[in-house]
Amino acid sequence: MEKYICKTCGTQFPPSVHQPESCPICMEERQYLGPRGQEWTTLHEMTESQIYINEIQQEESNLYSMKTVPEFAIGQTAYLIQHNGFNLMWDCITYLDEHTIDTIKDLGGLDAIALSHPHYYSAQAEWAETFNVPIYIHEDDREWVMRDSEHIIFWSGESLKVQDGLVIHRLGGHFKGGAVLHWENGSQGKGVLLTGDIIQVVADSGWVSFMYSYPNLIPLPAETVERMAGRIKTLSFDRVYNAFHRVIEKEADLAVQRSAKRYIKAVRGELFQT
C-alpha cells in the first residue's frame, strides 16, 4: 500500500495498492496536467532520491517560510507563524523529511495547520499526523480533500479565530472556501495578511490581483472581487505574503483595496480606451 502523490499539484492520496486513475484537482479548469500526463510519486521515493530539501528561513520576527527545492509540483511556500506560544502552519507543502521535522521542533513544533484552498492541501494529513495537530479547512472545500484524516476540522461561516490575534477569513473567489489569514501582531504589530493565492501579489509589488484560475488565466467576475475586498476592508495589515514569496512590504491593506478597484474597472471595460 502506497500513498501516491500527484506530481503536478503535489496532493497526497489515501493508501492504495494501485496508483489512482487521475487527480481530480488537476482534472478541472483551475489546474492542469503537464505535457507528460498524469504522473505519480510517493514521499518514500522523494526522500530516497536525496534530491529535495526544504528551505526554512526567517522572514521577520516570529515568521518563517518553508519551500521545497528544487521546486516540486506547484512550488508554493508555506509559513510558520509563532504567536504567543502557539505555532501555526499556514498552507502546506508536500515534502516532509527528518531534517524538516527536527528544524520545526527546534522552532517549537506545530500546534495547528490552516489552509487557504485545495491547491495547497498537498500532504497535509502526513504533516498533521507527524506533529499530531488539527487541520483547519473551510467546509465549502470539503469535496477537494483527497486524503481524509481525523485531524481535519471543517469550519463554517465567514471567519474562524484560531487564537486571539490569528483569524482566518473566508473570501471565496479562487475557490468557494478560499481563505486568508490575518495575523494581528505581524510586522511589529502593524498586521500581516497571508493570502496563498486567494489574493495574489503581482510583479509590480505594490499591487495584487485575483483569478479563478491562475495557470489558465480565467478571471473572476467584478462582483466577486468587490465582495472579497469588502470582507477585509476593516482589517489592518501593513504586509501581505503570498504563496510564492512575493511580499507587499508596507500599506498592504491600502494596496489590496486600490488593486480591487483597478481590477473591477478592467473587467468591466472601464480601464481601457478602445
Side-chain angles (χ1 to χ4, degrees):
M1 300 280 279
E2 295 280 4
K3 290 173 282 190
Y4 288 100
I5 293 168
C6 172
K7 283 189 175 182
T8 306
C9 71
T11 300
Q12 187 184 57
F13 283 67
S16 63
V17 175
H18 304 291
Q19 295 177 353
E21 289 186 9
S22 62
C23 172
I25 290 175
C26 289
M27 292 298 290
E28 64 103 50
E29 62 269 11
R30 281 167 288 196
Q31 245 301 91
Y32 64 94
L33 284 177
R36 297 174 61 176
Q38 182 68 66
E39 295 182 287
W40 302 97
T41 187
T42 65
L43 268 179
H44 177 73
E45 286 182 1
M46 292 177 72
T47 54
E48 286 295 304
S49 72
Q50 298 185 350
I51 293 173
Y52 299 100
I53 62 168
N54 285 334
E55 289 187 344
I56 300 176
Q57 63 185 50
Q58 188 167 13
E59 300 294 329
E60 62 174 78
S61 179
N62 297 317
L63 180 68
Y64 293 81
S65 62
M66 296 180 281
K67 180 177 172 59
T68 302
V69 291
E71 186 173 289
F72 177 73
I74 294 174
Q76 73 270 18
T77 298
Y79 292 91
L80 172 63
I81 302 103
Q82 299 173 320
H83 178 77
N84 297 335
F86 185 90
N87 282 7
L88 175 66
M89 183 177 178
W90 174 250
D91 281 329
C92 197
I93 52 180
T94 303
Y95 190 62
L96 182 61
D97 61 7
E98 290 301 322
H99 175 71
T100 303
I101 294 167
D102 291 341
T103 302
I104 291 175
K105 285 181 177 178
D106 288 342
L107 294 171
L110 292 181
D111 295 291
I113 300 169
L115 280 299
S116 64
H117 73 291
H119 287 154
Y120 304 151
Y121 289 177
S122 55
Q124 59 181 3
E126 195 82 24
W127 282 76
E129 290 173 2
T130 298
F131 291 97
N132 192 27
V133 297
I135 305 168
Y136 294 104
I137 294 174
H138 198 278
E139 66 176 5
D140 284 347
D141 289 337
R142 181 191 294 260
E143 67 181 290
W144 301 106
V145 174
M146 297 296 108
R147 181 185 166 195
D148 203 4
S149 170
E150 63 182 9
H151 292 268
I152 296 175
I153 297 172
F154 292 103
W155 62 280
S156 60
E158 302 307 312
S159 65
L160 174 70
K161 183 171 74 173
V162 182
Q163 291 276 297
D164 287 336
L166 280 177
V167 181
I168 310 170
H169 295 269
R170 187 191 79 88
L171 303 189
H174 184 38
F175 273 80
K176 188 176 180 181
V180 297
L181 175 69
H182 185 226
W183 175 32
E184 189 176 2
N185 288 359
S187 188
Q188 298 180 328
K190 297 177 184 177
V192 163
L193 196 70
L194 296 107
T195 63
D197 56 12
I198 303 304
I199 299 173
Q200 184 70 284
V201 182
V202 295
D204 186 347
S205 61
W207 296 81
V208 302
S209 195
F210 315 81
M211 294 288 274
Y212 180 74
S213 170
Y214 289 97
N216 300 318
L217 301 179
I218 305 174
L220 287 166
E223 295 75 15
T224 299
V225 172
E226 190 171 39
R227 173 180 50 77
M228 293 170 70
R231 284 184 174 170
I232 57 170
K233 194 170 185 178
T234 60
L235 300 182
S236 178
F237 50 94
D238 196 46
R239 289 181 183 164
V240 162
Y241 289 86
N242 80 344
F244 298 97
H245 245 123
R246 284 182 174 171
V247 184
I248 298 180
E249 294 283 352
K250 60 182 180 178
E251 297 184 341
D253 47 3
L254 300 179
V256 170
Q257 297 302 320
R258 179 175 68 244
S259 300
K261 289 177 182 177
R262 182 176 73 171
Y263 179 99
I264 291 164
K265 285 184 178 180
V267 296
R268 286 179 174 166
E270 300 169 1
L271 192 65
F272 315 105
Q273 293 182 348
T274 58

